[in-house]
Each structure stands twice: as C-alpha cells, then as structure tokens.
Amino acid sequence: RREQARLKAGGVEEDTEEWQKDPRFTGLERVGGVDLSYVKGDESRACASLVVLSYPALEVLYQDCRMVPVCAPYVAGFLAFREVPVLVEAVQRLQQEQPQLQPQVLLVDGNGLLHPRGFGTACHLGVLTDLPCIGVAKNLLQVDGLVRDERHMEQVRSLQRSGETFPLTGTSGKVLGMALRSHSNSSRPLYVSVGHRVSLGTAVRLVRACCRFRVPEPIRQADMRSREYLRK
C-alpha cells in the first residue's frame, strides 16, 4: 500500500501531449498494447506481449512475445506488482533496440483510476515508463459503490450505438471511468479509465478509434499473439 501511494503521487490525470488536443489525433503515429497470457495450470510462468501499431491504419509495426517468470502471487488490488515489472522490461527492450518505434500511448488490458485505491495496472505501468497509458477492462471492477446490478445493466442496454458512453460515478461522487459501447456488433461495453498522462475524454475517444471489433486493436493483437506464442 505504501509503494502504491508513493507511485500514485507521480501520476498525471490530464493530457500532456500535443496530439491529444487535436480531435483527429494529428501527430499520433504509434499506439502500443500489452497483455500477459498464463500457462494453463502454471501460475508461475506467462507470455508477456508488447505490440506497437501504426495509427490510424492499425497495422502491426513491432511485436515482442516471450516467456517470463511471474514471481509475485496474485493479490486482489495489487495485480500490478505481479504483472507490471515484466511489461516495463518489454518497453525498455523496445526503447533500447528500436527507439524509433516507441509507442506514444499504451493501451493496457486492465484498470487505471478504476481501482480500490485509484491506482490500477494502467496507472502503475504509466508512472514507471512515463508513457501515456489507458486502462481498458472487459468487466466492471466493483469499487466505490459501483456494482453490476439491474440499474447498471439498464444503463448498458441504453448504449444503442457505437461510441455511446455513460460515466462510472462512485458513491464518493468521483467519476472513475467510462462505460463505452466500442463496436456496433457488441452490446457488451468496455470500461475505460485514465492511467497516466491522459484525460478521460481523450482516453475514451482513442479507445473507440482503435476498435475494429469490441476490444481495441492494440490489446487484441497483444492478446492474440501471446496466446499463439503459448500454443506453439
């Protein structure tokens, strides 16, 4: 908890880049995605995957998939301590080997501010790499009074078209993220939250712009490639 609080003090919850201020994201050329896929029945090993896609074409420019040891146990609310170190290493390898392909923003399969202490995996990774980061979760993390009850499901059903959203407001009154209908073919929303150096509005717009399917392409590609690596 102390380490989380220390790192959280370095977090930035607003836009810091010029491309973020342009409605069309002019100047954004590279979007990264990260994912970990675990070996079935073995929680001590996983495949860590980092991909970098061109923007707006969303073509894969770089991929790094490799088996890594996972040392820390899973503890709810502290997942970042288990997964982020190997993702930081992947980013550092890219910076050393092909710095021209460094992503200008990272999409993370997980949460940012939408977290019991307001510092999820996307925040943790963002602060340690100092890259803009966005949390993109497929399921609602039930914190600060947010629950997947009938009222929530009614709000989900109200999202009729791609790009429609509703705020995830906790009982504290703070907006922790946004539920986004990311694709017209999927009625299940994504839960987008700020990680680091990005505003919530920008995060939602970029996630939507990166969706060919329900899950944004950088995360989808990272996930597909890590699973394929495990199969092989």
Side-chain angles (χ1 to χ4, degrees):
R1 284 173 183 263
R2 278 198 304 272
E3 179 66 0
Q4 258 181 352
R6 184 186 73 79
L7 291 170
K8 186 180 177 183
V12 176
E13 300 175 21
E14 57 199 40
D15 293 332
T16 60
E17 309 302 296
E18 281 304 310
W19 61 263
Q20 294 168 331
K21 297 162 190 168
D22 187 311
R24 293 165 300 174
F25 296 129
T26 303
L28 177 62
E29 297 176 350
R30 296 173 307 283
V31 181
V34 293
D35 187 66
L36 251 71
S37 291
Y38 288 86
V39 176
K40 207 167 186 179
D42 182 0
E43 288 291 298
S44 67
R45 291 188 307 144
C47 177
S49 175
L50 164 66
V51 298
V52 181
L53 276 60
S54 63
Y55 186 87
L58 301 177
E59 294 171 349
V60 176
L61 303 174
Y62 173 92
Q63 71 167 32
D64 178 0
C65 293
R66 62 183 66 196
M67 295 304 297
V68 293
V70 181
C71 303
Y74 170 72
V75 181
F78 298 95
L79 177 67
F81 290 96
R82 179 174 167 84
E83 297 193 343
V84 165
V86 295
L87 298 176
V88 170
E89 286 174 9
V91 171
Q92 290 171 340
R93 274 195 302 275
L94 168 57
Q95 289 168 333
Q96 289 163 6
E97 295 167 11
Q98 297 195 58
Q100 75 280 7
L101 292 180
Q102 172 167 294
Q104 293 161 276
V105 59
L106 278 173
L107 271 55
V108 180
D109 183 7
N111 292 294
L113 297 182
L114 184 57
H115 178 271
R117 286 168 298 285
F119 198 75
T121 302
C123 301
H124 203 122
L125 182 62
V127 169
L128 290 183
T129 60
D130 200 30
L131 290 172
C133 269
I134 298 170
V136 185
K138 294 186 279 291
N139 298 298
L140 177 67
L141 186 63
Q142 303 195 20
V143 297
D144 192 16
L146 291 171
V147 287
R148 199 168 172 276
D149 57 8
E150 183 50 38
R151 179 175 171 273
H152 177 79
M153 297 313 296
E154 198 173 296
Q155 288 178 296
V156 168
R157 287 191 290 272
S158 76
L159 304 177
Q160 294 294 308
R161 289 190 298 275
S162 170
E164 291 188 347
T165 63
F166 64 83
L168 300 166
T169 308
T171 52
S172 63
K174 182 165 183 177
V175 176
L176 302 175
M178 201 73 80
L180 164 70
R181 180 160 181 166
S182 57
H183 197 275
S184 55
N185 289 347
S186 176
S187 59
R188 294 169 62 208
L190 296 174
Y191 298 97
V192 180
S193 56
V194 168
H196 182 55
R197 291 177 55 186
V198 65
S199 69
L200 183 57
T202 298
V204 170
R205 284 193 301 118
L206 182 60
V207 169
R208 187 192 173 199
C210 288
C211 286
R212 286 177 174 162
F213 303 95
R214 179 190 175 218
V215 175
E217 204 62 13
I219 292 175
R220 197 177 81 89
Q221 290 293 335
D223 174 64
M224 279 169 38
R225 286 159 197 264
S226 61
R227 290 175 191 274
E228 181 62 21
Y229 190 94
L230 288 182
R231 273 196 296 272
K232 287 180 177 174

